Amino acid sequence: MAHRKLEPGKLVVASHNKGKIREINELLEPFGFEVVSAGDLDLPEPEETGVTFEENAALKAHAAAKASGYPSLADDSGFCVAALDGDPGVYSARWAGPDKDFAMAMRTVEEKLQSKGATDPEQRRSSFVAVLCLAWPDGHEEVFRGEVEGQVVWPPRGSQGFGYDPIFLPDGKDRTFGEMTSEEKHGGSKDTPALSHRSRAFRLFADGCL
Ligand code: IMP
């Protein structure tokens, strides 16, 4: 299916999260867009009421496109554990509570796996998912999903990255995301294939719309 191309000009990153805005800025810089964030424009932050990554990314992107009059890009991401029916999924941030306590969130994942007797690697399958939605003021949208598969390991390993990185061992690697540098985790430079869910989604977005 043909994707609508994004013409050079102003692009709103529909996020109030500084880390996310920086990462998206870095990825978009080479393409010559004038990137502004929803925070810069004082746009309201919509509540993430969706039950899928696609719904949440779309509601953020459309809200920003409508309010600003410019094409807007949003992402939604999370950690999905197969034996927990995909949890924490869209609730990945919420499992860490108001204090953003990811040590606790990772422990919760492990306790739930233990209570199911999930000790073998094949019972501990998990993935990171990132969905990007680019929305235009006329209501058109393009959606891209990136995933990386692996398994939950315990105890947590490594202190790089963030969130659930220390308990995620991607398939084919012997180090967790928490033990990788940012370059290794994302991959996707000239010589390496994209590895992280986010860089895979970005690759699809760039191929489709840029
Ligand atoms: P979002 O800001 O609504 O997209 O929530 C994303 C949440 O998913 C984060 O707070 C993390 O808990 C988790 N998450 C997403 N991507 C990653 C990653 O690359 N590493 C670790 N955790 C992640």
PDB file of all heavy atoms in Angstrom, residues 11-31 33 35-37 60 72-76 131-134 186 198 202 205 210:
ATOM      1  N   LEU A  11       7.133  19.921  11.762  1.00  0.00           N
ATOM      2  CA  LEU A  11       6.588  18.650  12.242  1.00  0.00           C
ATOM      3  C   LEU A  11       6.506  18.710  13.767  1.00  0.00           C
ATOM      4  O   LEU A  11       7.479  19.065  14.438  1.00  0.00           O
ATOM      5  CB  LEU A  11       7.513  17.502  11.821  1.00  0.00           C
ATOM      6  CG  LEU A  11       7.152  16.122  12.365  1.00  0.00           C
ATOM      7  CD1 LEU A  11       5.835  15.634  11.767  1.00  0.00           C
ATOM      8  CD2 LEU A  11       8.247  15.111  12.058  1.00  0.00           C
ATOM      9  N   VAL A  12       5.327  18.367  14.294  1.00  0.00           N
ATOM     10  CA  VAL A  12       5.152  18.375  15.747  1.00  0.00           C
ATOM     11  C   VAL A  12       5.417  16.984  16.303  1.00  0.00           C
ATOM     12  O   VAL A  12       4.882  15.996  15.788  1.00  0.00           O
ATOM     13  CB  VAL A  12       3.716  18.818  16.126  1.00  0.00           C
ATOM     14  CG1 VAL A  12       3.517  18.760  17.645  1.00  0.00           C
ATOM     15  CG2 VAL A  12       3.437  20.219  15.604  1.00  0.00           C
ATOM     16  N   VAL A  13       6.266  16.890  17.302  1.00  0.00           N
ATOM     17  CA  VAL A  13       6.438  15.629  18.013  1.00  0.00           C
ATOM     18  C   VAL A  13       5.456  15.655  19.174  1.00  0.00           C
ATOM     19  O   VAL A  13       5.573  16.481  20.088  1.00  0.00           O
ATOM     20  CB  VAL A  13       7.890  15.451  18.521  1.00  0.00           C
ATOM     21  CG1 VAL A  13       8.014  14.179  19.334  1.00  0.00           C
ATOM     22  CG2 VAL A  13       8.842  15.406  17.335  1.00  0.00           C
ATOM     23  N   ALA A  14       4.465  14.784  19.101  1.00  0.00           N
ATOM     24  CA  ALA A  14       3.342  14.825  20.037  1.00  0.00           C
ATOM     25  C   ALA A  14       3.715  14.135  21.339  1.00  0.00           C
ATOM     26  O   ALA A  14       3.224  13.050  21.649  1.00  0.00           O
ATOM     27  CB  ALA A  14       2.116  14.182  19.398  1.00  0.00           C
ATOM     28  N   SER A  15       4.618  14.772  22.074  1.00  0.00           N
ATOM     29  CA  SER A  15       5.046  14.196  23.347  1.00  0.00           C
ATOM     30  C   SER A  15       5.458  15.319  24.288  1.00  0.00           C
ATOM     31  O   SER A  15       5.856  16.401  23.840  1.00  0.00           O
ATOM     32  CB  SER A  15       6.233  13.255  23.119  1.00  0.00           C
ATOM     33  OG  SER A  15       6.727  12.798  24.353  1.00  0.00           O
ATOM     34  N   HIS A  16       5.324  15.047  25.591  1.00  0.00           N
ATOM     35  CA  HIS A  16       5.818  15.988  26.596  1.00  0.00           C
ATOM     36  C   HIS A  16       7.010  15.378  27.324  1.00  0.00           C
ATOM     37  O   HIS A  16       7.494  15.918  28.304  1.00  0.00           O
ATOM     38  CB  HIS A  16       4.705  16.342  27.592  1.00  0.00           C
ATOM     39  CG  HIS A  16       3.633  17.212  27.004  1.00  0.00           C
ATOM     40  ND1 HIS A  16       2.726  16.739  26.074  1.00  0.00           N
ATOM     41  CD2 HIS A  16       3.334  18.520  27.183  1.00  0.00           C
ATOM     42  CE1 HIS A  16       1.903  17.719  25.732  1.00  0.00           C
ATOM     43  NE2 HIS A  16       2.253  18.802  26.378  1.00  0.00           N
ATOM     44  N   ASN A  17       7.462  14.216  26.831  1.00  0.00           N
ATOM     45  CA  ASN A  17       8.557  13.491  27.472  1.00  0.00           C
ATOM     46  C   ASN A  17       9.890  13.914  26.826  1.00  0.00           C
ATOM     47  O   ASN A  17      10.119  13.668  25.648  1.00  0.00           O
ATOM     48  CB  ASN A  17       8.275  11.989  27.277  1.00  0.00           C
ATOM     49  CG  ASN A  17       9.398  11.105  27.769  1.00  0.00           C
ATOM     50  OD1 ASN A  17      10.568  11.465  27.720  1.00  0.00           O
ATOM     51  ND2 ASN A  17       9.033   9.920  28.215  1.00  0.00           N
ATOM     52  N   LYS A  18      10.736  14.576  27.636  1.00  0.00           N
ATOM     53  CA  LYS A  18      11.973  15.171  27.078  1.00  0.00           C
ATOM     54  C   LYS A  18      12.880  14.141  26.411  1.00  0.00           C
ATOM     55  O   LYS A  18      13.452  14.383  25.353  1.00  0.00           O
ATOM     56  CB  LYS A  18      12.741  15.898  28.185  1.00  0.00           C
ATOM     57  CG  LYS A  18      12.076  17.189  28.606  1.00  0.00           C
ATOM     58  CD  LYS A  18      13.133  18.206  29.085  1.00  0.00           C
ATOM     59  CE  LYS A  18      12.540  19.590  29.264  1.00  0.00           C
ATOM     60  NZ  LYS A  18      11.557  19.659  30.376  1.00  0.00           N
ATOM     61  N   GLY A  19      12.997  12.955  27.035  1.00  0.00           N
ATOM     62  CA  GLY A  19      13.868  11.910  26.494  1.00  0.00           C
ATOM     63  C   GLY A  19      13.380  11.452  25.123  1.00  0.00           C
ATOM     64  O   GLY A  19      14.160  11.285  24.183  1.00  0.00           O
ATOM     65  N   LYS A  20      12.060  11.254  25.043  1.00  0.00           N
ATOM     66  CA  LYS A  20      11.457  10.809  23.789  1.00  0.00           C
ATOM     67  C   LYS A  20      11.635  11.864  22.702  1.00  0.00           C
ATOM     68  O   LYS A  20      11.973  11.559  21.558  1.00  0.00           O
ATOM     69  CB  LYS A  20       9.958  10.594  24.037  1.00  0.00           C
ATOM     70  CG  LYS A  20       9.445   9.305  23.466  1.00  0.00           C
ATOM     71  CD  LYS A  20       7.984   9.174  23.770  1.00  0.00           C
ATOM     72  CE  LYS A  20       7.703   7.870  24.454  1.00  0.00           C
ATOM     73  NZ  LYS A  20       6.258   7.668  24.627  1.00  0.00           N
ATOM     74  N   ILE A  21      11.420  13.134  23.063  1.00  0.00           N
ATOM     75  CA  ILE A  21      11.529  14.228  22.091  1.00  0.00           C
ATOM     76  C   ILE A  21      12.962  14.296  21.551  1.00  0.00           C
ATOM     77  O   ILE A  21      13.187  14.428  20.350  1.00  0.00           O
ATOM     78  CB  ILE A  21      11.134  15.579  22.743  1.00  0.00           C
ATOM     79  CG1 ILE A  21       9.654  15.547  23.124  1.00  0.00           C
ATOM     80  CG2 ILE A  21      11.427  16.744  21.806  1.00  0.00           C
ATOM     81  CD1 ILE A  21       9.229  16.635  24.092  1.00  0.00           C
ATOM     82  N   ARG A  22      13.941  14.148  22.467  1.00  0.00           N
ATOM     83  CA  ARG A  22      15.341  14.203  22.031  1.00  0.00           C
ATOM     84  C   ARG A  22      15.629  13.067  21.051  1.00  0.00           C
ATOM     85  O   ARG A  22      16.222  13.260  19.990  1.00  0.00           O
ATOM     86  CB  ARG A  22      16.279  14.114  23.249  1.00  0.00           C
ATOM     87  CG  ARG A  22      17.731  14.308  22.848  1.00  0.00           C
ATOM     88  CD  ARG A  22      18.744  14.316  23.988  1.00  0.00           C
ATOM     89  NE  ARG A  22      18.210  14.090  25.314  1.00  0.00           N
ATOM     90  CZ  ARG A  22      18.133  12.920  25.924  1.00  0.00           C
ATOM     91  NH1 ARG A  22      18.521  11.822  25.296  1.00  0.00           N
ATOM     92  NH2 ARG A  22      17.658  12.815  27.149  1.00  0.00           N
ATOM     93  N   GLU A  23      15.169  11.854  21.424  1.00  0.00           N
ATOM     94  CA  GLU A  23      15.443  10.684  20.578  1.00  0.00           C
ATOM     95  C   GLU A  23      14.810  10.856  19.187  1.00  0.00           C
ATOM     96  O   GLU A  23      15.452  10.595  18.164  1.00  0.00           O
ATOM     97  CB  GLU A  23      14.876   9.439  21.267  1.00  0.00           C
ATOM     98  CG  GLU A  23      15.561   8.167  20.856  1.00  0.00           C
ATOM     99  CD  GLU A  23      15.172   7.001  21.768  1.00  0.00           C
ATOM    100  OE1 GLU A  23      15.723   6.871  22.875  1.00  0.00           O
ATOM    101  OE2 GLU A  23      14.315   6.223  21.351  1.00  0.00           O
ATOM    102  N   ILE A  24      13.571  11.335  19.150  1.00  0.00           N
ATOM    103  CA  ILE A  24      12.879  11.505  17.873  1.00  0.00           C
ATOM    104  C   ILE A  24      13.545  12.615  17.054  1.00  0.00           C
ATOM    105  O   ILE A  24      13.736  12.492  15.844  1.00  0.00           O
ATOM    106  CB  ILE A  24      11.370  11.793  18.108  1.00  0.00           C
ATOM    107  CG1 ILE A  24      10.706  10.550  18.723  1.00  0.00           C
ATOM    108  CG2 ILE A  24      10.671  12.186  16.816  1.00  0.00           C
ATOM    109  CD1 ILE A  24       9.242  10.700  19.081  1.00  0.00           C
ATOM    110  N   ASN A  25      13.957  13.690  17.761  1.00  0.00           N
ATOM    111  CA  ASN A  25      14.684  14.778  17.100  1.00  0.00           C
ATOM    112  C   ASN A  25      15.935  14.283  16.411  1.00  0.00           C
ATOM    113  O   ASN A  25      16.208  14.648  15.259  1.00  0.00           O
ATOM    114  CB  ASN A  25      15.123  15.781  18.165  1.00  0.00           C
ATOM    115  CG  ASN A  25      14.398  17.079  17.999  1.00  0.00           C
ATOM    116  OD1 ASN A  25      14.172  17.515  16.878  1.00  0.00           O
ATOM    117  ND2 ASN A  25      14.047  17.699  19.112  1.00  0.00           N
ATOM    118  N   GLU A  26      16.703  13.452  17.121  1.00  0.00           N
ATOM    119  CA  GLU A  26      17.955  12.926  16.566  1.00  0.00           C
ATOM    120  C   GLU A  26      17.684  12.105  15.305  1.00  0.00           C
ATOM    121  O   GLU A  26      18.410  12.187  14.320  1.00  0.00           O
ATOM    122  CB  GLU A  26      18.677  12.050  17.592  1.00  0.00           C
ATOM    123  CG  GLU A  26      19.374  12.862  18.674  1.00  0.00           C
ATOM    124  CD  GLU A  26      19.830  12.013  19.850  1.00  0.00           C
ATOM    125  OE1 GLU A  26      19.741  10.759  19.777  1.00  0.00           O
ATOM    126  OE2 GLU A  26      20.259  12.613  20.846  1.00  0.00           O
ATOM    127  N   LEU A  27      16.602  11.319  15.361  1.00  0.00           N
ATOM    128  CA  LEU A  27      16.284  10.478  14.212  1.00  0.00           C
ATOM    129  C   LEU A  27      15.790  11.290  13.019  1.00  0.00           C
ATOM    130  O   LEU A  27      16.010  10.913  11.874  1.00  0.00           O
ATOM    131  CB  LEU A  27      15.225   9.437  14.611  1.00  0.00           C
ATOM    132  CG  LEU A  27      15.747   8.321  15.525  1.00  0.00           C
ATOM    133  CD1 LEU A  27      14.619   7.705  16.341  1.00  0.00           C
ATOM    134  CD2 LEU A  27      16.435   7.240  14.705  1.00  0.00           C
ATOM    135  N   LEU A  28      15.141  12.437  13.294  1.00  0.00           N
ATOM    136  CA  LEU A  28      14.555  13.221  12.203  1.00  0.00           C
ATOM    137  C   LEU A  28      15.486  14.276  11.641  1.00  0.00           C
ATOM    138  O   LEU A  28      15.304  14.742  10.513  1.00  0.00           O
ATOM    139  CB  LEU A  28      13.266  13.904  12.686  1.00  0.00           C
ATOM    140  CG  LEU A  28      12.094  12.968  12.907  1.00  0.00           C
ATOM    141  CD1 LEU A  28      10.952  13.712  13.586  1.00  0.00           C
ATOM    142  CD2 LEU A  28      11.608  12.377  11.581  1.00  0.00           C
ATOM    143  N   GLU A  29      16.497  14.636  12.454  1.00  0.00           N
ATOM    144  CA  GLU A  29      17.411  15.724  12.071  1.00  0.00           C
ATOM    145  C   GLU A  29      17.943  15.588  10.644  1.00  0.00           C
ATOM    146  O   GLU A  29      17.859  16.543   9.862  1.00  0.00           O
ATOM    147  CB  GLU A  29      18.575  15.752  13.051  1.00  0.00           C
ATOM    148  CG  GLU A  29      18.948  17.142  13.493  1.00  0.00           C
ATOM    149  CD  GLU A  29      19.825  17.070  14.725  1.00  0.00           C
ATOM    150  OE1 GLU A  29      20.711  16.202  14.780  1.00  0.00           O
ATOM    151  OE2 GLU A  29      19.614  17.895  15.618  1.00  0.00           O
ATOM    152  N   PRO A  30      18.455  14.401  10.280  1.00  0.00           N
ATOM    153  CA  PRO A  30      19.056  14.297   8.943  1.00  0.00           C
ATOM    154  C   PRO A  30      18.071  14.564   7.810  1.00  0.00           C
ATOM    155  O   PRO A  30      18.476  14.804   6.679  1.00  0.00           O
ATOM    156  CB  PRO A  30      19.540  12.839   8.876  1.00  0.00           C
ATOM    157  CG  PRO A  30      19.423  12.288  10.247  1.00  0.00           C
ATOM    158  CD  PRO A  30      18.493  13.140  11.019  1.00  0.00           C
ATOM    159  N   PHE A  31      16.766  14.523   8.090  1.00  0.00           N
ATOM    160  CA  PHE A  31      15.781  14.676   7.018  1.00  0.00           C
ATOM    161  C   PHE A  31      15.335  16.127   6.830  1.00  0.00           C
ATOM    162  O   PHE A  31      14.496  16.426   5.983  1.00  0.00           O
ATOM    163  CB  PHE A  31      14.578  13.767   7.278  1.00  0.00           C
ATOM    164  CG  PHE A  31      14.934  12.309   7.308  1.00  0.00           C
ATOM    165  CD1 PHE A  31      15.184  11.655   8.505  1.00  0.00           C
ATOM    166  CD2 PHE A  31      15.059  11.593   6.123  1.00  0.00           C
ATOM    167  CE1 PHE A  31      15.535  10.308   8.527  1.00  0.00           C
ATOM    168  CE2 PHE A  31      15.396  10.253   6.142  1.00  0.00           C
ATOM    169  CZ  PHE A  31      15.640   9.610   7.343  1.00  0.00           C
ATOM    170  N   PHE A  33      13.640  18.374   8.862  1.00  0.00           N
ATOM    171  CA  PHE A  33      12.364  18.905   9.331  1.00  0.00           C
ATOM    172  C   PHE A  33      12.591  19.948  10.417  1.00  0.00           C
ATOM    173  O   PHE A  33      13.585  19.890  11.141  1.00  0.00           O
ATOM    174  CB  PHE A  33      11.485  17.781   9.906  1.00  0.00           C
ATOM    175  CG  PHE A  33      10.978  16.878   8.840  1.00  0.00           C
ATOM    176  CD1 PHE A  33      11.571  15.650   8.632  1.00  0.00           C
ATOM    177  CD2 PHE A  33       9.938  17.270   8.033  1.00  0.00           C
ATOM    178  CE1 PHE A  33      11.128  14.819   7.627  1.00  0.00           C
ATOM    179  CE2 PHE A  33       9.481  16.445   7.021  1.00  0.00           C
ATOM    180  CZ  PHE A  33      10.076  15.214   6.823  1.00  0.00           C
ATOM    181  N   VAL A  35      11.485  20.587  13.675  1.00  0.00           N
ATOM    182  CA  VAL A  35      10.763  19.805  14.684  1.00  0.00           C
ATOM    183  C   VAL A  35      10.430  20.672  15.899  1.00  0.00           C
ATOM    184  O   VAL A  35      11.296  21.323  16.462  1.00  0.00           O
ATOM    185  CB  VAL A  35      11.608  18.588  15.126  1.00  0.00           C
ATOM    186  CG1 VAL A  35      10.902  17.816  16.224  1.00  0.00           C
ATOM    187  CG2 VAL A  35      11.891  17.680  13.940  1.00  0.00           C
ATOM    188  N   VAL A  36       9.154  20.689  16.262  1.00  0.00           N
ATOM    189  CA  VAL A  36       8.740  21.343  17.509  1.00  0.00           C
ATOM    190  C   VAL A  36       7.958  20.312  18.321  1.00  0.00           C
ATOM    191  O   VAL A  36       7.376  19.385  17.754  1.00  0.00           O
ATOM    192  CB  VAL A  36       7.836  22.584  17.270  1.00  0.00           C
ATOM    193  CG1 VAL A  36       8.625  23.732  16.709  1.00  0.00           C
ATOM    194  CG2 VAL A  36       6.666  22.245  16.380  1.00  0.00           C
ATOM    195  N   SER A  37       7.965  20.475  19.642  1.00  0.00           N
ATOM    196  CA  SER A  37       7.250  19.483  20.450  1.00  0.00           C
ATOM    197  C   SER A  37       5.902  20.036  20.903  1.00  0.00           C
ATOM    198  O   SER A  37       5.686  21.258  20.922  1.00  0.00           O
ATOM    199  CB  SER A  37       8.082  19.082  21.668  1.00  0.00           C
ATOM    200  OG  SER A  37       8.035  20.105  22.627  1.00  0.00           O
ATOM    201  N   LYS A  60      -2.801  10.502  20.456  1.00  0.00           N
ATOM    202  CA  LYS A  60      -1.839  11.585  20.715  1.00  0.00           C
ATOM    203  C   LYS A  60      -1.519  12.338  19.417  1.00  0.00           C
ATOM    204  O   LYS A  60      -1.454  13.570  19.402  1.00  0.00           O
ATOM    205  CB  LYS A  60      -0.540  11.005  21.314  1.00  0.00           C
ATOM    206  CG  LYS A  60      -0.703  10.532  22.757  1.00  0.00           C
ATOM    207  CD  LYS A  60       0.614  10.068  23.357  1.00  0.00           C
ATOM    208  CE  LYS A  60       0.908   8.615  23.069  1.00  0.00           C
ATOM    209  NZ  LYS A  60       2.049   8.067  23.847  1.00  0.00           N
ATOM    210  N   SER A  72       1.789  15.664  12.742  1.00  0.00           N
ATOM    211  CA  SER A  72       2.277  15.378  14.089  1.00  0.00           C
ATOM    212  C   SER A  72       2.597  13.901  14.235  1.00  0.00           C
ATOM    213  O   SER A  72       1.852  13.039  13.756  1.00  0.00           O
ATOM    214  CB  SER A  72       1.219  15.769  15.128  1.00  0.00           C
ATOM    215  OG  SER A  72       0.923  17.152  15.010  1.00  0.00           O
ATOM    216  N   LEU A  73       3.691  13.634  14.924  1.00  0.00           N
ATOM    217  CA  LEU A  73       4.173  12.262  15.096  1.00  0.00           C
ATOM    218  C   LEU A  73       4.132  11.889  16.577  1.00  0.00           C
ATOM    219  O   LEU A  73       4.639  12.629  17.422  1.00  0.00           O
ATOM    220  CB  LEU A  73       5.623  12.185  14.591  1.00  0.00           C
ATOM    221  CG  LEU A  73       6.308  10.833  14.622  1.00  0.00           C
ATOM    222  CD1 LEU A  73       5.665   9.872  13.615  1.00  0.00           C
ATOM    223  CD2 LEU A  73       7.802  10.981  14.315  1.00  0.00           C
ATOM    224  N   ALA A  74       3.507  10.733  16.881  1.00  0.00           N
ATOM    225  CA  ALA A  74       3.457  10.274  18.271  1.00  0.00           C
ATOM    226  C   ALA A  74       3.930   8.837  18.344  1.00  0.00           C
ATOM    227  O   ALA A  74       3.811   8.095  17.362  1.00  0.00           O
ATOM    228  CB  ALA A  74       2.028  10.358  18.799  1.00  0.00           C
ATOM    229  N   ASP A  75       4.458   8.445  19.480  1.00  0.00           N
ATOM    230  CA  ASP A  75       4.776   7.025  19.644  1.00  0.00           C
ATOM    231  C   ASP A  75       4.199   6.503  20.944  1.00  0.00           C
ATOM    232  O   ASP A  75       3.933   7.259  21.878  1.00  0.00           O
ATOM    233  CB  ASP A  75       6.285   6.759  19.523  1.00  0.00           C
ATOM    234  CG  ASP A  75       6.999   6.731  20.859  1.00  0.00           C
ATOM    235  OD1 ASP A  75       6.573   7.468  21.771  1.00  0.00           O
ATOM    236  OD2 ASP A  75       7.962   5.980  20.991  1.00  0.00           O
ATOM    237  N   ASP A  76       3.922   5.211  20.955  1.00  0.00           N
ATOM    238  CA  ASP A  76       3.501   4.558  22.187  1.00  0.00           C
ATOM    239  C   ASP A  76       4.210   3.220  22.223  1.00  0.00           C
ATOM    240  O   ASP A  76       4.359   2.554  21.195  1.00  0.00           O
ATOM    241  CB  ASP A  76       1.980   4.376  22.215  1.00  0.00           C
ATOM    242  CG  ASP A  76       1.501   4.148  23.638  1.00  0.00           C
ATOM    243  OD1 ASP A  76       1.781   5.000  24.505  1.00  0.00           O
ATOM    244  OD2 ASP A  76       0.859   3.119  23.902  1.00  0.00           O
ATOM    245  N   VAL A 131       4.902   1.674  18.562  1.00  0.00           N
ATOM    246  CA  VAL A 131       4.037   2.060  17.450  1.00  0.00           C
ATOM    247  C   VAL A 131       4.176   3.559  17.232  1.00  0.00           C
ATOM    248  O   VAL A 131       4.091   4.351  18.175  1.00  0.00           O
ATOM    249  CB  VAL A 131       2.565   1.687  17.731  1.00  0.00           C
ATOM    250  CG1 VAL A 131       1.647   2.301  16.687  1.00  0.00           C
ATOM    251  CG2 VAL A 131       2.405   0.166  17.743  1.00  0.00           C
ATOM    252  N   LEU A 132       4.429   3.936  15.982  1.00  0.00           N
ATOM    253  CA  LEU A 132       4.506   5.350  15.612  1.00  0.00           C
ATOM    254  C   LEU A 132       3.280   5.693  14.786  1.00  0.00           C
ATOM    255  O   LEU A 132       2.903   4.929  13.889  1.00  0.00           O
ATOM    256  CB  LEU A 132       5.729   5.585  14.724  1.00  0.00           C
ATOM    257  CG  LEU A 132       7.084   5.677  15.410  1.00  0.00           C
ATOM    258  CD1 LEU A 132       8.182   5.673  14.357  1.00  0.00           C
ATOM    259  CD2 LEU A 132       7.174   6.936  16.257  1.00  0.00           C
ATOM    260  N   CYS A 133       2.666   6.813  15.106  1.00  0.00           N
ATOM    261  CA  CYS A 133       1.556   7.288  14.280  1.00  0.00           C
ATOM    262  C   CYS A 133       1.872   8.698  13.810  1.00  0.00           C
ATOM    263  O   CYS A 133       2.195   9.570  14.619  1.00  0.00           O
ATOM    264  CB  CYS A 133       0.241   7.281  15.061  1.00  0.00           C
ATOM    265  SG  CYS A 133      -1.145   7.919  14.078  1.00  0.00           S
ATOM    266  N   LEU A 134       1.804   8.896  12.497  1.00  0.00           N
ATOM    267  CA  LEU A 134       1.951  10.227  11.910  1.00  0.00           C
ATOM    268  C   LEU A 134       0.570  10.649  11.438  1.00  0.00           C
ATOM    269  O   LEU A 134      -0.053   9.942  10.637  1.00  0.00           O
ATOM    270  CB  LEU A 134       2.924  10.150  10.733  1.00  0.00           C
ATOM    271  CG  LEU A 134       3.121  11.426   9.919  1.00  0.00           C
ATOM    272  CD1 LEU A 134       3.698  12.551  10.769  1.00  0.00           C
ATOM    273  CD2 LEU A 134       4.049  11.149   8.728  1.00  0.00           C
ATOM    274  N   HIS A 186      19.864   0.130  19.854  1.00  0.00           N
ATOM    275  CA  HIS A 186      19.043   0.584  18.727  1.00  0.00           C
ATOM    276  C   HIS A 186      19.505   0.007  17.404  1.00  0.00           C
ATOM    277  O   HIS A 186      18.703  -0.279  16.540  1.00  0.00           O
ATOM    278  CB  HIS A 186      18.997   2.108  18.694  1.00  0.00           C
ATOM    279  CG  HIS A 186      18.327   2.677  19.896  1.00  0.00           C
ATOM    280  ND1 HIS A 186      17.036   2.337  20.243  1.00  0.00           N
ATOM    281  CD2 HIS A 186      18.760   3.508  20.867  1.00  0.00           C
ATOM    282  CE1 HIS A 186      16.709   2.961  21.369  1.00  0.00           C
ATOM    283  NE2 HIS A 186      17.738   3.671  21.768  1.00  0.00           N
ATOM    284  N   ARG A 198      11.942   0.483  18.818  1.00  0.00           N
ATOM    285  CA  ARG A 198      11.800   1.871  18.403  1.00  0.00           C
ATOM    286  C   ARG A 198      12.530   2.124  17.081  1.00  0.00           C
ATOM    287  O   ARG A 198      12.017   2.772  16.191  1.00  0.00           O
ATOM    288  CB  ARG A 198      12.328   2.791  19.506  1.00  0.00           C
ATOM    289  CG  ARG A 198      11.757   4.175  19.456  1.00  0.00           C
ATOM    290  CD  ARG A 198      11.924   4.929  20.764  1.00  0.00           C
ATOM    291  NE  ARG A 198      11.053   4.436  21.811  1.00  0.00           N
ATOM    292  CZ  ARG A 198      11.436   3.728  22.864  1.00  0.00           C
ATOM    293  NH1 ARG A 198      12.694   3.422  23.042  1.00  0.00           N
ATOM    294  NH2 ARG A 198      10.568   3.315  23.750  1.00  0.00           N
ATOM    295  N   PHE A 202      10.961   3.154  13.477  1.00  0.00           N
ATOM    296  CA  PHE A 202      11.466   4.323  12.760  1.00  0.00           C
ATOM    297  C   PHE A 202      11.921   3.986  11.358  1.00  0.00           C
ATOM    298  O   PHE A 202      11.722   4.756  10.420  1.00  0.00           O
ATOM    299  CB  PHE A 202      12.593   5.003  13.524  1.00  0.00           C
ATOM    300  CG  PHE A 202      12.096   6.230  14.223  1.00  0.00           C
ATOM    301  CD1 PHE A 202      11.751   6.171  15.554  1.00  0.00           C
ATOM    302  CD2 PHE A 202      11.911   7.414  13.530  1.00  0.00           C
ATOM    303  CE1 PHE A 202      11.241   7.277  16.198  1.00  0.00           C
ATOM    304  CE2 PHE A 202      11.401   8.525  14.165  1.00  0.00           C
ATOM    305  CZ  PHE A 202      11.070   8.469  15.500  1.00  0.00           C
ATOM    306  N   PHE A 205       8.846   3.763   9.305  1.00  0.00           N
ATOM    307  CA  PHE A 205       8.311   5.114   9.110  1.00  0.00           C
ATOM    308  C   PHE A 205       9.136   5.864   8.053  1.00  0.00           C
ATOM    309  O   PHE A 205       8.587   6.469   7.122  1.00  0.00           O
ATOM    310  CB  PHE A 205       8.331   5.841  10.454  1.00  0.00           C
ATOM    311  CG  PHE A 205       8.278   7.339  10.378  1.00  0.00           C
ATOM    312  CD1 PHE A 205       7.142   7.986   9.900  1.00  0.00           C
ATOM    313  CD2 PHE A 205       9.356   8.119  10.787  1.00  0.00           C
ATOM    314  CE1 PHE A 205       7.087   9.375   9.836  1.00  0.00           C
ATOM    315  CE2 PHE A 205       9.315   9.495  10.725  1.00  0.00           C
ATOM    316  CZ  PHE A 205       8.178  10.134  10.246  1.00  0.00           C
ATOM    317  N   LEU A 210       9.231   9.188   4.390  1.00  0.00           N
ATOM    318  CA  LEU A 210      10.253  10.233   4.203  1.00  0.00           C
ATOM    319  C   LEU A 210      10.890  10.144   2.824  1.00  0.00           C
ATOM    320  O   LEU A 210      10.809   9.133   2.161  1.00  0.00           O
ATOM    321  CB  LEU A 210      11.321  10.134   5.306  1.00  0.00           C
ATOM    322  CG  LEU A 210      10.782  10.281   6.721  1.00  0.00           C
ATOM    323  CD1 LEU A 210      11.926  10.204   7.737  1.00  0.00           C
ATOM    324  CD2 LEU A 210      10.031  11.593   6.927  1.00  0.00           C
TER     325      LEU A 210
END
